Amino acid sequence: MEGLSKSDANLIVYVHPSQSKNVDKAILRELSSLLFKYSQAFDGVVLAYSVDPQDKCARILSGVHPYFGVRLRANLLIFSPKPNMLLEGKVVKITRESIHCIVLGFSSAIITDENIRNELKYKAKHGEGVYVSRYHKRHVIKVGAVIRFEVKR
């Protein structure tokens, strides 16, 4: 799927002195706080990471709280969709005006009526909304279907 990329990053993680007994756990906790949130530094959402500490030494920072910085190398999996990319999502809701879907199990996407192809017509079947193709009767978009769409913005 487009929008997924790997990134090798050289990072410095700042650890509070109270966490100095178990630095590995503190580093993992700090990196876990990046997961499933948009990060401007990586220009995307971090989905996964693996860590390789570079040094056994840490540098103490001067200031009010003497944090220490640990250098490490991390391999990151980043989700960063750009315009004109193709993505796949599972449809979770259909209305006359839009199709709502979930991409990669965590990111929401909405396709509005102005971006839905003209060949698809909205119908209410059995109390649920569906989009049916005017040309191919078996081509139906309903809740639970997986669709492929192009990112506009």
Side-chain angles (χ1 to χ4, degrees), residues 5-10 41-42 48-50 73-78:
S5 62
K6 287 184 180 179
S7 176
D8 292 328
N10 292 319
F42 302 118
Y49 62 85
S50 66
R73 180 176 206 90
N75 296 318
L76 306 171
L77 179 62
I78 299 173

Side-chain angles (χ1 to χ4, degrees), residues 56-85:
K56 295 293 182 190
C57 306
R59 174 173 270 163
I60 297 176
L61 306 172
S62 60
V64 179
H65 297 285
Y67 282 78
F68 57 93
V70 180
R71 291 182 181 273
L72 54 96
R73 180 176 206 90
N75 296 318
L76 306 171
L77 179 62
I78 299 173
F79 176 62
S80 180
K82 304 281 188 251
N84 300 323
M85 282 187 174

